[in-house]
Amino acid sequence: MQRFPTFRKGGVHPDDKKSLSSPCAIERLPVPSELIVPLSQHLGAPASALKQKGETLDIGEKIGKASGFISADVHSPVAGLIKDIRKVTLANSVVCDAFVIAVDAKQPVKVWEEQPYAHLSGAQIISIVQDMGVVGTGGATFPTHVKLMVPKGKSVDALVVNGVECEPYLTADHRLMLEETDKVLQGVMIVAQAVSPKRIIIGVENNKPDAIEVLRNAVSQKGYPIDVVPLKVKYPQGDEKQLLKATIGREIPSGKLPIDVGALVLNVGTSFAVYEAVALRKPLIDRVVTVSGEAIASPKNIRTYVGTKVVDLLAYCGNPKERYEKMISGGPMMGFAFFDDQTPITKGSSGILVLDNQKELDAPTTACISCGRCVAVCPMGLQPTKLYKLIEHRRYEDAMKMNLMDCKECGCCAYTCPAHIPLVHGMKLGKKLGRK
Amino acid sequence: MEIPKLYVSSSPHLHDRPTTASIMWNVSIALAPAALWGVYAFGLRALLVLVVSIVSSVLVEFLLGKISKQFTITDGSAFLTGLLIGMNMPPSVPLFVPILASIFAITVAKWVFGGLGANWINPALAGRVFVFFSFTGLMSQYSLPRFVGSVDSVSQATMLTAMKMQIGEPAVQQLGSSAILESIAYPASRFGLSVSDSLNGIISPYTVDAFFGLIGGSLGEISAVLLIAGAIYLMVKKIITWHIPVCFLGTFSLLAWIFGGLRNGMGLFQGDFVLQLFSGGMMLGAFFMATDMVTSPTTKKGMVIFGVGIGFFTFLLRYFGSLPESVSLAIIIMNIFVPTIEKYVLPKRFGEVEKKTKSTKEANA
Ligand code: SF4
Ligand code: SF4
């Protein structure tokens, strides 16, 4: 039997549920009549509004300007009219201003033509990426142009493309790899052109053998210097730290970034966005969203505009079944539960899940029985049970000393705790209160 | 459409599903075959002991729960404690003994410390040791199982005690465990004798008896094979890991092999540990008492230290101590060290030894 690499410490194996939506080819959502485009769709400072209420917009017109070093531009996905600018609450509880856009019933036909990019310098590519508002599409939404600016004195040894998509249910990246193989790879090569890595690796978990095959074929056909590496399935392999451990065997020290070990990590969706930005000069105005979950009549992978309201996506998938219990933006391990179906899709929305099994999972919290499961599964080598007890007793400083900040809220500990202690909730709280 | 009740809670939104209760019930299920074997071997009297132990444990938990306003009997831990207490009783013990053991276990060992999860000692173990030292006589009267004698023949020494009584006698100098038993004509089952014969005596009939559970002893500890089967079930279900039992039994075997022969005049590396492994509650202790989650370390490294420690103390107590109960006492000794182990044995953090690996990697690159 062939042995596939993975990260060593911790991790869990939740049922991946990907078969619900993995056979569904990407469909395009008909243009909705109204979009809500938030100004904060990225990590860092919200963009500042460039337009006012009542102004008309063109497809791809810039409507928000980055307002800090870590920030990103926002563009209008459609032609339409700004009905209103108001505060919205995003699925991840961020509150920010958003453009409410009345979408013109007749959209002009806009063709994004491929333009040559082989001559572009690294700095030029980065500035185009910035101009097109590209951010990480995996959920963390770190502005991509910032990531591509390699700090002085550091260099990129390995460019690692994240095709892992380790969260259950999500298949958006999987479908992109299958259907837009070449564009994804071109996106990777564009990034490579900007940061000149010594080697390029795409890590894909081996529950997607079709994607691995398609990528390998395309790579050998085009002669790209890319190594497609199948990885053993284990959550959270899609996390930068675990991915780098699995692919290039390096551990990012506590509090450091991938570039500190000479690596740059980019996911498949972001590579695709980079391709569109640089080759087509198309801003990041739409993305693929997996709409899935047991309560969804027909799960789909949908290409839709940023700012699409969840209710429109759900309607397109046949509305949720009678009884549903939880809506989640993102994956079930790290995603955010929300309740308002008027919430918009953002650049970082990889999935919308509607689940009906929460009641049965919802067992009462009982006393910690020191079973050690949380310790065994923590990929960061922390002791969630001890941290939780410290946080419970408001001993935030002591929790910090035990490296609470290393916790990345991956959810493995709470997933596995037989006492159903809300460990991750505790970690989040502890971090927030401990930082002050 | 009616507005559904939506759950809005913190991630993760998935769960592996086990609960404390499911773990406890699974441990009880894993113990069941060995317990039933005890009933088969010693008759209905053994069943009575089991039932009385379980009922009294659960009842005490229920009453204490009334006081502290907690309804905890469904978590299965009191049932499990009762079952373990019953399995640790001689089959013919007067019934007040397991009742007292249960009261002690649930009240003093568990409730006083704050209930499940806050106890430092396994309640069943505490109960057993408590009644052992209070009623040593009653706790040392073992009947023989139906396979080797009549069920009523009480006060037959177990293999271990029989052996221990002989050690030091000039007659058994240079003899291994089985030979000692043979020299005093300790009864072996017909099954054991025939298996041993068919293997040309490579394995003594006593070892065969101990492995399959054709020996005297506490009613749930006699069948090594069924206890091992239960343990495998728990490992497959990922409820216990190999670390504690394997380190415990491994350390014990190693020490018994190296030094075990010394006490009756043999040299180093002459010890006969196989029979020792399968008798005296070793299997029950290693797989079901030492692995008690609450009272063992949470880290893998800690578990290894814990297991090795128990193996060491079991060896010491069994071979050179004057007290019986070596396994129970060894576990309790190591229970005392658990907080210390937990404090100093930390899991390796991600990114901790980065400096070394990175520089070596780069040197290789
Ligand atoms: S959420 Fe934090 S503490 Fe829990 S397993 Fe993940 S990294 Fe460890
Ligand atoms: S998994 Fe839960 S019960 Fe087990 S040690 Fe961790 S916090 Fe305690």
Side-chain angles (χ1 to χ4, degrees), chain A residues 86-413:
Chain A
R86 66 169 148 93
K87 286 250 178 290
V88 294
T89 307
L90 303 180
N92 58 5
S93 305
V94 167
V95 178
C96 69
D97 283 326
F99 292 98
V100 182
I101 303 174
V103 181
D104 292 350
K106 256 195 110 165
Q107 289 288 314
V109 184
K110 173 98 187 168
V111 186
W112 307 94
E113 268 174 47
E114 188 150 336
Q115 298 175 25
Y117 57 80
H119 61 282
L120 296 175
S121 71
Q124 283 168 323
I125 289 176
I126 291 173
S127 102
I128 295 172
V129 165
Q130 176 172 18
D131 201 36
M132 296 294 134
V134 180
V135 304
T137 59
T141 60
F142 191 78
T144 304
H145 67 273
V146 182
K147 195 182 241 181
L148 298 187
M149 289 186 229
V150 179
K152 267 220 174 65
K154 306 235 157 107
S155 66
V156 179
D157 172 53
L159 170 60
V160 179
V161 181
N162 187 349
V164 171
E165 204 168 43
C166 61
E167 280 266 15
Y169 294 97
L170 303 186
T171 53
D173 280 357
H174 184 188
R175 290 311 307 185
L176 272 180
M177 288 189 276
L178 288 181
E179 296 177 40
E180 305 284 5
T181 321
D182 195 50
K183 293 178 185 166
V184 169
L185 293 175
Q186 283 192 53
V188 173
M189 294 314 295
I190 292 170
V191 172
Q193 192 177 326
V195 300
S196 29
K198 291 204 191 75
R199 55 195 172 132
I200 310 173
I201 295 162
I202 299 186
V204 186
E205 281 188 350
N206 64 357
N207 57 355
K208 301 181 259 294
D210 47 353
I212 294 169
E213 200 193 310
V214 170
L215 287 171
R216 281 200 166 142
N217 288 343
V219 164
S220 66
Q221 220 173 53
K222 294 276 161 92
Y224 293 133
I226 299 178
D227 200 6
V228 181
V229 182
L231 301 169
K232 203 173 130 201
V233 178
K234 185 153 85 169
Y235 178 88
Q237 194 144 244
D239 186 275
E240 286 183 338
K241 298 198 173 186
Q242 273 59 44
L243 183 66
L244 289 182
K245 181 77 184 171
T247 50
I248 61 171
R250 295 198 186 155
E251 280 190 22
I252 305 174
S254 165
K256 298 279 172 144
L257 297 169
I259 195 67
D260 295 309
V261 294
L264 198 126
V265 183
L266 199 74
N267 76 7
V268 163
T270 315
S271 310
F272 182 69
V274 167
Y275 164 81
E276 292 206 318
V278 178
L280 308 181
R281 304 289 152 91
K282 179 184 161 201
L284 181 49
I285 51 173
D286 60 0
R287 63 157 299 143
V288 182
V289 181
T290 300
V291 182
S292 184
E294 280 78 3
I296 293 285
S298 53
K300 291 187 192 321
N301 298 295
I302 304 178
R303 183 132 191 212
T304 188
Y305 293 121
V306 161
T308 308
K309 287 177 287 184
V310 167
V311 65
D312 293 328
L313 283 172
L314 296 182
Y316 186 70
C317 296
N319 279 325
K321 295 173 185 158
E322 277 293 288
R323 194 181 62 84
Y324 66 102
E325 291 163 351
K326 194 182 256 176
M327 285 196 289
I328 298 164
S329 165
M333 295 299 285
M334 290 185 74
F336 300 93
F338 64 102
F339 56 87
D340 184 2
D341 60 8
Q342 298 292 317
T343 307
I345 296 295
T346 65
K347 293 175 184 176
S349 309
S350 43
I352 296 294
L353 307 179
V354 186
L355 305 184
D356 64 0
N357 60 355
Q358 296 297 302
K359 211 176 287 165
E360 42 183 298
L361 294 180
D362 193 34
T365 297
T366 49
C368 169
I369 51 169
S370 308
C371 65
R373 289 175 182 222
C374 55
V375 181
V377 299
C378 178
M380 300 309 292
L382 303 176
Q383 293 170 287
T385 165
K386 274 196 203 168
L387 289 171
Y388 188 85
K389 282 174 194 155
L390 290 174
I391 293 164
E392 220 178 7
H393 291 101
R394 298 168 196 265
R395 290 168 58 189
Y396 307 118
E397 298 235 323
D398 293 327
M400 291 292 172
K401 274 189 212 127
M402 292 193 67
N403 307 294
L404 174 59
M405 291 322 276
D406 275 1
C407 166
K408 52 190 185 193
E409 302 165 15
C410 66
C412 292
C413 51

Side-chain angles (χ1 to χ4, degrees), chain A residues 373, chain B residues 16 18 22-23 25-27 29-30 230-241 293:
Chain A
R373 289 175 182 222
Chain B
D16 205 11
S22 73
I23 288 180
W25 290 118
N26 265 313
V27 178
I29 290 171
I232 291 174
Y233 170 78
L234 290 184
M235 289 190 202
V236 169
K237 286 233 147 202
K238 301 219 161 85
I239 289 175
I240 61 172
T241 59
M293 297 166 175

